[in-house]
Amino acid sequence: MKFTELDLNDDVLDALDSMRFEECTPIQEKSIPVILDGRDLIAVAQTGTGKTAAYLLPVLSQLSDGGYPEDAINCIVMAPTRELAQQIDQQMEGFAYFMPVSSVAVYGGNDGILFEQQKKGLTLGADVVIATPGRLLAHLSLGYVDLSRVSFFILDEADRMLDMGFYDDIMQIVKFLPEDRQTIMFSATMPQKIQQLAQNILNDPAEVKIAVSKPADKILQAAYICYENQKLGIIRQLFAEQTPERVIIFASSKLKVKEVTKALKLMKLNVGEMHSDLEQSAREEAMYQFKAGKINILVATDIVSRGIDIDDIRLVINYDVPRDCEDYVHRIGRTARANNDGVAITFVSEKDQGHFKAIEEFIEKEVYKIPLPEGLGEAPEYKPRARSASDHKKYRRKPHHGGGGGKRRKKNS
């Protein structure tokens, strides 16, 4: 379907035309009409499906149509990380180029000037506020932010926000919002805790689900069955002759990221790190240097497995097996983008064999096991334990429940 077939404002269509966006992605085709109809929505779609445009375009269209207060915050977009908030803000600027719609990004950092800029945007009533939960609550606690006339409340990557412990923060923010609002929730997965959140803050929502894609065929997937103390030796051998231009190494925790980064620096590799302990300026600098090719290896937690737009990642290494099968898809999906080829290698220690077997079943593919390089000793045998019924329940795909139509909400005056 083309964007011109949707009931979008002419200014939005002009912006899309200037950006040469013509065809909707499936999540956009299914979500935009529901949002334009004023209905609450829960949409399940992974990164890379065009979900940001799926909620920004209909909201911008309605704001551009008019009828909303000019001196109030009309839309709140919640994002789990600073990086995603910045990325949404950049897309917002592009889409709103032809529209009299203002926005401000509100996220953490120790920059006092940044805090004052955010305060100004919030007090003047930016149409769209894109915020991380903690920083928005910090401003709300100081008493100068009025959310009583918000018409649209959007949660992007809701599952990631809950994984990061933001449930209470979200519920606290909801208390500042009017009941007569449209609530839109996007999530890559649909676990029980997301269903609970949806029941608490959405009103008779429609549901749209785009099935999690299998990893792209262009991604060459492989694994090393190894002991934990052999992992750094494998990396040393992999990069002994030549380091690929862009490599992301995913580790399970920020402590592990720090340890691996330190070890790789001792190997004289050009490496940076990305995790939540870093100040905002340090995270931005690491991402800039990685994108610019000034560092070739980025060691990171799952903070960059979703929502970071880098098209030419050559190699993804899972230093640890992700606990969630869909996180595996998100991680290795950082490579083989924009028609490029890519390689994804996973280090599978003894304790992770059951999790990796679950991933193989989830993607319906047996991943090739590479023999350990010479000199690293014997590898453990690959004998993943049989999974229990509860494991099967955890890893199986969730069923789709469709939703019907609804009436458009009244705009705030």
Side-chain angles (χ1 to χ4, degrees):
M1 177 182 282
K2 294 185 181 297
F3 285 109
T4 51
E5 298 176 60
L6 298 170
D7 190 22
L8 291 167
N9 178 282
D10 286 343
D11 291 337
V12 174
L13 293 176
D14 286 344
L16 290 169
D17 183 59
S18 71
M19 298 166 78
R20 297 185 179 178
F21 287 7
E22 295 182 3
E23 296 283 343
C24 302
T25 66
I27 191 64
Q28 292 161 0
E29 181 178 335
K30 292 184 177 182
S31 298
I32 289 175
V34 174
I35 297 172
L36 287 174
D37 199 42
R39 186 123 189 251
D40 282 9
L41 171 69
I42 180 163
V44 181
Q46 66 192 103
T47 295
T49 55
K51 60 184 175 61
T52 307
Y55 61 77
L56 281 183
L57 294 175
V59 167
L60 286 172
S61 181
Q62 293 182 79
L63 291 176
S64 189
D65 281 340
Y68 295 86
E70 296 182 3
D71 60 344
I73 297 169
N74 290 302
C75 174
I76 297 283
V77 180
M78 304 300 308
T81 64
R82 306 157 183 172
E83 287 75 23
L84 183 58
Q86 290 172 320
Q87 187 171 311
I88 295 168
D89 189 44
Q90 290 169 0
Q91 287 193 253
M92 168 79 194
E93 289 179 7
F95 293 141
Y97 186 79
F98 296 101
M99 291 164 248
V101 177
S102 59
S103 67
V104 61
V106 175
Y107 50 81
N110 289 336
D111 189 338
I113 297 174
L114 182 65
F115 192 93
E116 287 302 312
Q117 289 173 342
Q118 295 172 2
K119 177 181 176 180
K120 184 177 180 181
L122 290 166
T123 52
L124 292 177
D127 288 300
V128 179
V129 173
I130 300 147
T132 53
R135 179 46 66 98
L136 181 58
L137 269 182
H139 285 284
L140 283 167
S141 67
L142 296 173
Y144 48 74
V145 183
D146 179 12
L147 301 184
S148 65
R149 291 186 282 176
V150 167
S151 295
F152 307 97
F153 183 51
I154 301 167
L155 292 93
D156 196 351
E157 295 199 0
D159 53 346
R160 183 61 65 198
M161 280 193 272
L162 298 196
D163 287 344
M164 295 172 69
F166 287 134
Y167 181 88
D168 290 340
D169 288 354
I170 291 168
M171 296 309 297
Q172 191 68 27
I173 290 166
V174 167
K175 293 178 182 177
F176 290 88
L177 300 171
E179 288 190 15
D180 184 25
R181 66 175 189 272
Q182 185 176 5
T183 304
I184 300 156
M185 184 189 297
F186 277 77
S187 181
T189 58
M190 190 66 166
Q192 184 61 40
K193 57 189 176 183
I194 285 293
Q195 297 175 40
Q196 179 187 344
L197 178 63
Q199 289 173 358
N200 288 337
I201 69 172
L202 273 69
N203 177 31
D204 186 29
E207 184 175 320
V208 169
K209 183 166 185 177
I210 304 298
V212 173
S213 302
K214 298 294 194 311
D217 290 337
K218 289 190 174 185
I219 302 175
L220 175 62
Q221 299 178 64
Y224 285 98
I225 308 303
C226 60
Y227 293 106
E228 186 69 28
N229 61 7
Q230 293 172 321
K231 291 181 178 180
L232 288 173
I234 298 171
I235 290 180
R236 187 189 302 274
Q237 297 268 24
L238 283 175
F239 299 149
E241 295 184 8
Q242 183 179 2
T243 304
E245 289 181 14
R246 277 181 177 72
V247 181
I248 295 182
I249 300 176
F250 285 110
S252 58
S253 68
K254 53 193 175 186
L255 177 61
K256 184 71 72 71
V257 167
K258 295 173 186 177
E259 292 174 351
V260 173
T261 302
K262 184 177 180 181
L264 298 190
K265 285 181 177 178
L266 290 174
M267 295 181 197
K268 308 299 182 186
L269 292 169
N270 191 11
V271 60
E273 60 189 296
M274 178 76 77
H275 52 77
S276 58
D277 274 357
L278 293 175
E279 298 292 344
Q280 173 65 13
S281 57
R283 284 159 68 172
E284 289 180 1
E285 179 63 20
M287 188 57 66
Y288 167 76
Q289 290 195 353
F290 186 58
K291 287 184 175 181
K294 295 182 179 180
I295 57 175
N296 359 57
I297 303 172
L298 186 67
V299 186
T301 56
D302 280 310
I303 199 169
V304 296
S305 68
R306 302 183 191 178
I308 298 299
D309 193 19
I310 306 173
D311 284 336
D312 51 354
I313 305 297
R314 303 300 183 192
L315 171 63
V316 167
I317 295 175
N318 291 307
Y319 196 87
D320 304 293
V321 176
R323 288 294 178 264
D324 189 304
C325 298
E326 293 179 355
D327 280 342
Y328 175 82
V329 176
H330 290 301
R331 284 186 182 187
I332 74 170
R334 297 301 89 199
T335 188
R337 302 177 75 182
N339 294 318
N340 291 319
D341 294 327
V343 178
I345 296 174
T346 303
F347 296 165
V348 185
S349 64
E350 285 184 296
K351 65 181 177 61
D352 284 340
Q353 288 190 11
H355 295 291
F356 193 68
K357 182 63 175 176
I359 287 169
E360 290 184 307
E361 292 180 8
F362 181 79
I363 63 175
E364 298 173 354
K365 177 178 181 177
E366 184 175 341
V367 175
Y368 174 68
K369 314 302 188 298
I370 309 174
L372 282 182
E374 289 185 13
L376 293 184
E378 292 292 317
E381 188 179 355
Y382 186 54
K383 290 180 65 176
R385 67 173 179 82
R387 293 187 291 125
S388 66
S390 62
D391 287 328
H392 280 283
K393 184 177 180 182
K394 177 180 178 183
Y395 288 111
R396 73 187 180 194
R397 295 179 185 274
K398 302 294 189 297
H400 167 72
H401 301 287
K407 292 183 179 179
R408 184 186 294 273
R409 292 177 183 268
K410 290 173 64 177
K411 297 175 184 176
N412 287 352
S413 56

